[in-house]
């Protein structure tokens, strides 16, 4: 399996490609990473150093890969945080070029917009870009529950309203939707859910909620789910494997007392996940 991953890159810590690439490689995926930024660390620290890449920079790198024949045999294009229109346009251009050479490739987009605690933390132009132009072009999206509400103009909280919002966003283009950080009033205390919905059905999985905020965990989730479902076509299996791997990663990070994901230490959890959480079919 081969993935073209267009995301941020940091030298210290693990977000964007610096979170997604190694877990994918550990499960046998050939990854071609393209950086949208090259920062010292993620911006959650409040200060960072390093350059932003332009849309033209991304296009040049894609062109170079294309000239080597590298866009043939690609199974998926993966994208995460999009810092501006120029990067978004360059990613959509890359999707077109990959699908020209690899017609069966999918575009997997993590529509990074914000969360329920802090709201949207991207500019209005990026909000519009993702909602109006990127999501309709994607085959697979991995929003959190808040982002799903933003994309559909709803406020999903119950299981039914969340599934209704998924149906609404699927009508706009992406046939596969993974919803993360799902919280509903009737859930057991201190739990979180993820939902996966495809043409074949809908499934949920529930885990304990761990007391930490780990930058980059969503990037790992999107990457692993994309690889697993692309490989097997089985959403329930992809959901179980992704959840097991990411939960183990978060457990290791919590136990370490460190702020950054213990990405390397959890490598066996990607390759050999302990499938300890049950998947429930909803429809």
């Amino acid at each position: 399996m081969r993935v073209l991953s267009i995301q941020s890159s940091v030298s210290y810590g693990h977000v964007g490609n610096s979170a997604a690439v190694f877990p994918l490689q550990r499960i046998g995926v050939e990854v071609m990473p393209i950086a949208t930024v090259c920062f010292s660390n993620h911006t959650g620290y409040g200060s960072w150093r390093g350059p932003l890449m332009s849309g033209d920079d991304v296009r040049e790198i894609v062109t170079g890969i294309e000239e080597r024949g590298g866009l043939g045999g690609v199974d998926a294009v993966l994208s995460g945080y999009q810092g501006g229109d120029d990067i978004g346009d360059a990613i959509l251009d890359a999707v077109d070029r990959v699908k020209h050479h690899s017609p069966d490739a999918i575009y997997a987009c993590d529509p990074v917009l914000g969360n329920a605690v802090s709201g949207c933390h991207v500019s209005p132009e990026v909000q519009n870009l993702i909602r109006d132009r990127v999501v309709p072009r994607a085959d697979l999206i991995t929003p959190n529950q808040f982002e799903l509400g933003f994309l559909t103009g709803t406020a999903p909280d119950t299981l039914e309203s969340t599934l209704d919002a998924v149906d609404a966003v699927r009508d706009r283009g992406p046939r596969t939707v993974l919803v993360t950080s799902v919280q509903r009033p009737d859930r057991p205390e201190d739990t979180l859910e993820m939902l996966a919905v495809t043409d074949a059905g809908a499934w949920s999985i529930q885990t304990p909620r761990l007391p930490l905020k780990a930058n980059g965990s969503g990037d790992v989730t999107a990457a692993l789910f994309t690889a697993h479902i692309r490989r097997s076509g089985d959403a329930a299996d992809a959901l179980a494997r992704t959840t097991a791997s990411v939960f183990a990663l978060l457990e290791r990070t919590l136990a370490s007392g460190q702020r950054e994901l213990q990405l390397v230490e959890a490598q066996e959890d990607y390759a050999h996940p302990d499938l300890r959480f049950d998947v429930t079919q909803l429809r």
Side-chain angles (χ1 to χ4, degrees):
M1 180 181 294
R2 178 181 291 178
V3 171
L4 179 69
S5 183
I6 309 175
Q7 302 193 58
S8 58
S9 176
V10 296
S11 295
Y12 178 81
H14 302 290
V15 299
N17 270 336
S18 303
V21 171
F22 177 67
L24 288 175
Q25 291 173 329
R26 189 63 182 81
I27 64 171
V29 177
E30 181 71 39
V31 187
M32 298 182 290
I34 299 178
T36 55
V37 305
C38 289
F39 285 168
S40 55
N41 51 270
H42 69 70
T43 58
Y45 285 97
S47 63
W48 61 92
R49 296 178 183 273
L52 292 160
M53 303 295 116
S54 69
D56 286 341
D57 291 329
V58 171
R59 288 186 181 89
E60 279 292 290
I61 296 170
V62 173
T63 297
I65 296 171
E66 185 175 36
E67 289 170 346
R68 305 284 81 77
L71 298 187
V74 172
D75 295 281
V77 179
L78 176 64
S79 73
Y81 173 74
Q82 300 186 21
D85 282 355
D86 63 334
I87 292 293
D89 287 335
I91 291 171
L92 292 177
D93 288 347
V95 170
D96 286 340
R97 291 163 74 176
V98 167
K99 290 193 172 189
H100 172 75
H101 293 280
S102 303
D104 293 332
I106 66 167
Y107 173 32
C109 171
D110 185 6
V112 180
L113 294 164
N115 57 65
V117 175
S118 59
C120 276
H121 52 62
V122 298
S123 65
E125 57 266 26
V126 173
Q127 296 173 29
N128 295 336
L129 168 75
I130 291 175
R131 182 188 60 227
D132 301 332
R133 295 170 52 209
V134 174
V135 165
R137 295 276 300 280
D139 301 289
L140 184 163
I141 60 172
T142 61
N144 61 39
Q145 191 175 29
F146 168 83
E147 291 162 340
L148 175 66
F150 178 87
L151 293 172
T152 56
T154 63
D157 53 0
T158 66
L159 179 60
E160 292 74 19
S161 62
T162 302
L163 288 171
D164 287 344
V166 170
D167 289 341
V169 81
R170 291 179 73 239
D171 286 343
R172 298 183 56 210
R175 303 310 302 161
T176 301
V177 178
L178 175 71
V179 188
T180 64
S181 301
V182 174
Q183 301 183 62
R184 50 190 173 108
D186 59 343
R187 76 188 190 280
E189 188 175 358
D190 293 326
T191 62
L192 283 175
E193 284 179 284
M194 288 203 295
L195 307 178
V197 183
T198 71
D199 290 340
W203 296 266
S204 70
I205 194 167
Q206 189 176 88
T207 69
R209 180 172 183 167
L210 297 175
L212 82 164
K213 179 182 182 298
N215 294 90
S217 58
D219 302 317
V220 177
T221 300
L224 288 176
F225 185 79
T226 297
H228 286 312
I229 197 167
R230 190 70 181 87
R231 178 174 281 161
S232 71
D234 185 334
D237 178 73
L239 183 62
R241 290 179 179 279
T242 300
T243 301
S245 295
V246 174
F247 189 82
L249 167 63
L250 293 175
E251 279 188 315
R252 291 179 185 275
T253 301
L254 179 62
S256 75
Q258 301 297 309
R259 176 172 180 173
E260 295 291 345
L261 290 175
Q262 300 301 290
L263 197 78
V264 175
E265 290 77 1
Q267 60 180 289
E268 288 302 311
D269 300 310
Y270 319 137
H272 307 289
D274 177 9
L275 304 179
R276 50 182 151 156
F277 302 112
D278 293 331
V279 175
T280 301
Q281 184 159 11
L282 303 174
R283 64 187 188 195

